[in-house]
Amino acid sequence: MLYINCPHCGMRSQNEFSYGGDASVKRPELNKEVSDQEWDNFVYNRKSLRGKHLELWQHISGCRQWIKVERDTATHEIFRTFKADEEVA
Amino acid sequence: MQKYSIFNLVKNAFSNHENWDLAWKDPTPKEEYDVVIIGGGGHGLATAYYLAKEHNITNVAIIEKGWIGGGNVGRNTTIIRSNYMHDENGLFSEFGMDLWRKMSQDLNYNVMFSPRGIINLAHSDAQMNAYARRGNSMRLNGIDAVLLNREQVKEIIPMADFSENVRFPIFGGLMQPSAGTARHDAVAWGYARQADSMGVDIIQNCEVIGFDVSAGKIKGIRTSRGNIKAKKVGICVAGSTNILAEKLNMTLPIETHLLQACVSEPVKPVLDSVVTFGAGHFYVSQSDKGEMVMGGDLDGYNSYAQRGNLPTLQHVLTEGIAMMPFLSKLKMLRTWGGIMDMSMDGSPIIDKTHIEGLYLNCGWCYGGFKATPASGWTFAHTIAQDRVHELNAGYSLNRFSTGNLIDEKGLGTKTWIS
């Protein structure tokens, strides 16, 4: 069982959350020419590496907020959690 | 190579079976190979076998980080089927079914292929309509499909829950009678033994740490046991694909996710087909040892852990008990996990890459085991001829940018929802 520290509600079990994928993916900016490669990278291509992974989760059975979680994909250790609009250094 | 036969079995019995040849050797890597296959799983071993058998290319090495057959070919639920709606998937898998049927003779190794049939249960009228459509598509591609009504399903699996007041009543199902199971380890070992006998070097405990590429052409690989030159390199590493892709500065339409499976204690024969629940994601079959072999959803977040987490297992088995209540009486014997190369449309990639001489085989999602022979056969063709075969032409790497997706389930790019 994963325990995720929701920045709004505190420590909760993973059963309250739903996964939202890689949080480092950025949608191409509006009002500028977007190449096929940029769309490809946004829609399909993922690094999905072993190790630290920044990802989106939604506290769907709690505050219903989207949050960011920094987690290790090999050990499942969770290092830090952030609000959705927080910039991650 | 010593042939496995009843006569050799009797002959070796007189010497207490102490004089059998080793099934494959443990060679030191040579300096250079015509083809290097990275990944000694089912697909890699099959690729090497078909390179030797179909294309006469025997100066081949299989480079395996751990031991052969220790990844997903040793961790799956052994189901073999070709019940796909889309032409690309159906024709590819049905070609594989033919290889499965001949495999034990072809490899001189009993892979215990058991065409016991698979039934996908339907729990609504709409689902019955969808299955009728899929069944018709299958039959147009020459794949056997039978639409069963509730009574027909009840005859085959009377132990399923056919009571009136259940949340997901069984309306019927779609059956592929020629589908079945096989002994997964035997598949890996059979391919390894034959490939070895034709001159393929199976190099275990050898991790790939880098690639030598110059002027857009592959020159070789760097490994924990030294540099190996190669004219051609095939990557066939399932859940570890992204790790190797990073070393090549490639980003792929693949995410690595964890899939669990489990077996119950062995019980007397009760289930003689493979059955899938239609209102969620659960499937079950009974092994020759009597264990109920079960699986279902991904754990649901990117993972390389090769071990599972309980919430998903609980969720999957809840579905199992809804479908076949007697399962709740069984004790769990083992659970395990493997890491899946989940592609963005649920279909695999067998293709050339932008680097000359480098070939890619990945994206098998839940369906890697059954694809073993067809994947090896087409990947060997792609490598040997430097062009894709018509069977894997649809499994191109650029289908994502060109919009030619093969999205069998219509799920889109959220690989963890399934």
Side-chain angles (χ1 to χ4, degrees):
Chain A
M1 179 77 78
L2 301 181
Y3 288 94
I4 300 173
N5 189 9
C6 173
H8 307 280
C9 313
M11 196 65 89
R12 302 295 176 91
S13 91
Q14 78 178 82
N15 290 340
E16 294 188 11
F17 295 84
S18 124
Y19 187 63
D22 190 338
S24 68
V25 176
K26 290 262 188 305
R27 190 185 171 92
E29 275 179 46
L30 289 171
N31 304 322
K32 92 178 226 307
E33 191 67 28
V34 181
S35 69
D36 286 355
Q37 186 61 53
E38 283 173 292
W39 275 121
D40 247 20
N41 289 341
F42 168 62
V43 181
Y44 299 116
N45 293 336
R46 299 288 179 268
K47 287 206 168 71
S48 186
L49 291 177
R50 186 185 172 96
K52 269 190 187 174
H53 189 243
L54 189 68
E55 54 204 20
L56 291 166
W57 289 77
Q58 188 186 11
H59 196 181
I60 196 147
S61 304
C63 62
R64 301 191 65 80
Q65 294 294 312
W66 283 92
I67 61 167
K68 289 180 195 163
V69 175
E70 188 183 51
R71 185 180 60 89
D72 191 303
T73 57
T75 64
H76 295 171
E77 181 182 356
I78 291 171
F79 305 103
R80 297 184 291 174
T81 55
F82 307 87
K83 292 177 184 169
D85 58 357
E86 259 181 279
E87 281 302 318
V88 180
Chain B
M1 186 186 64
Q2 237 169 349
K3 195 171 155 56
Y4 290 165
S5 67
I6 183 77
F7 304 107
N8 270 330
L9 190 66
V10 172
K11 195 177 119 195
N12 278 281
F14 291 109
S15 53
N16 292 324
H17 297 288
E18 285 170 357
N19 296 326
W20 286 101
D21 289 348
L22 286 179
W24 52 84
K25 297 178 280 293
D26 183 21
T28 318
K30 287 193 275 188
E31 202 169 300
E32 182 169 6
Y33 290 94
D34 291 339
V35 179
V36 164
I37 305 293
I38 305 172
H43 291 216
L45 293 162
T47 304
Y49 169 70
Y50 291 113
L51 274 174
K53 183 179 175 234
E54 304 285 339
H55 305 280
N56 262 330
I57 301 174
T58 54
N59 186 21
V60 175
I62 293 170
I63 306 294
E64 166 56 46
K65 185 170 98 174
W67 63 96
I68 58 166
N72 293 344
V73 73
R75 293 164 189 263
N76 57 78
T77 46
T78 78
I79 296 163
I80 293 160
R81 58 188 176 84
S82 58
N83 54 355
Y84 288 100
M85 187 170 78
H86 287 303
D87 291 348
E88 293 91 341
N89 291 333
L91 295 171
F92 178 89
S93 304
E94 187 57 17
F95 176 78
M97 291 303 296
D98 207 37
L99 294 174
W100 278 112
R101 285 187 274 266
K102 301 175 194 154
M103 190 179 288
S104 289
Q105 282 72 32
D106 191 26
L107 298 180
N108 178 229
Y109 207 108
N110 186 3
V111 300
M112 298 162 76
F113 176 55
S114 162
R116 58 183 68 184
I118 186 168
I119 303 168
N120 302 135
L121 293 181
H123 307 276
S124 67
D125 281 329
Q127 206 167 12
M128 283 299 282
N129 288 342
Y131 282 174
R133 181 180 176 222
R134 174 146 65 95
N136 286 334
S137 300
M138 287 165 62
R139 293 172 69 117
L140 285 171
N141 283 330
I143 303 163
D144 56 328
V146 186
L147 195 65
L148 305 172
N149 62 29
R150 181 179 161 95
E151 290 312 310
Q152 289 167 312
V153 172
K154 196 172 180 177
E155 265 179 42
I156 303 171
I157 48 165
M159 78 296 280
D161 195 346
F162 286 93
S163 50
E164 295 300 322
N165 296 315
V166 292
R167 174 67 183 82
F168 298 110
I170 295 169
F171 275 57
L174 181 66
M175 183 172 195
Q176 184 190 2
S178 69
T181 61
R183 175 74 198 147
H184 54 178
D185 296 320
V187 175
W189 298 336
Y191 275 122
R193 175 168 161 269
Q194 286 293 343
D196 175 89
S197 79
M198 288 188 283
V200 172
D201 280 358
I202 297 172
I203 298 161
Q204 305 182 73
N205 299 310
C206 181
E207 183 176 2
V208 173
I209 48 183
F211 295 85
D212 286 324
V213 180
S214 87
K217 196 174 180 327
I218 195 88
K219 298 290 178 191
I221 56 168
R222 278 169 264 152
T223 78
S224 56
R225 292 173 68 177
N227 293 355
I228 300 171
K229 287 186 211 147
K231 295 188 182 77
K232 294 178 175 180
V233 173
I235 297 177
C236 210
V237 295
S240 300
T241 303
N242 285 305
I243 297 176
L244 288 186
E246 196 210 12
K247 299 181 198 299
L248 290 156
N249 288 322
M250 290 169 79
T251 319
L252 298 172
I254 301 276
E255 279 189 349
T256 296
H257 283 271
L258 177 71
L259 181 61
Q260 294 191 70
C262 58
V263 293
S264 74
E265 60 185 327
V267 289
K268 285 186 177 177
V270 58
L271 178 62
D272 62 358
S273 55
V274 183
V275 183
T276 74
F277 185 53
H281 201 174
F282 171 84
Y283 52 85
V284 61
S285 64
Q286 189 170 21
S287 76
D288 294 335
K289 287 178 281 186
E291 304 151 334
M292 305 306 287
V293 186
M294 299 170 280
D297 282 312
L298 296 172
D299 268 25
Y301 40 85
N302 295 46
S303 175
Y304 281 87
Q306 287 191 310
R307 63 178 188 283
N309 205 342
L310 272 178
T312 301
L313 206 55
Q314 187 176 29
H315 169 74
V316 166
L317 292 174
T318 304
E319 294 173 27
I321 291 164
M323 185 175 94
M324 291 183 179
F326 83 97
L327 292 174
S328 71
K329 306 288 182 200
L330 300 181
K331 292 187 184 71
M332 187 77 76
L333 195 65
R334 289 193 308 280
T335 78
W336 66 93
I339 52 174
M340 307 294 117
D341 36 338
M342 301 300 295
S343 72
M344 290 288 163
D345 63 357
S347 298
I349 296 162
I350 307 176
D351 203 359
K352 300 161 67 170
T353 64
H354 69 286
I355 298 168
E356 198 185 328
L358 183 75
Y359 306 85
L360 188 62
N361 178 329
C362 62
W364 292 100
C365 302
Y366 303 89
F369 176 68
K370 68 163 192 302
T372 304
S375 163
W377 196 95
T378 53
F379 198 39
H381 181 280
T382 305
I383 294 171
Q385 312 274 335
D386 194 38
R387 63 186 164 85
V388 295
H389 188 271
E390 62 180 18
L391 283 168
N392 64 314
Y395 293 158
S396 64
L397 182 54
N398 74 358
R399 70 173 182 270
F400 298 92
S401 51
T402 56
N404 293 308
L405 304 187
I406 311 168
D407 200 342
E408 187 79 25
K409 292 188 192 163
L411 284 169
T413 61
K414 304 235 175 333
T415 60
W416 58 91
I417 304 173
S418 40

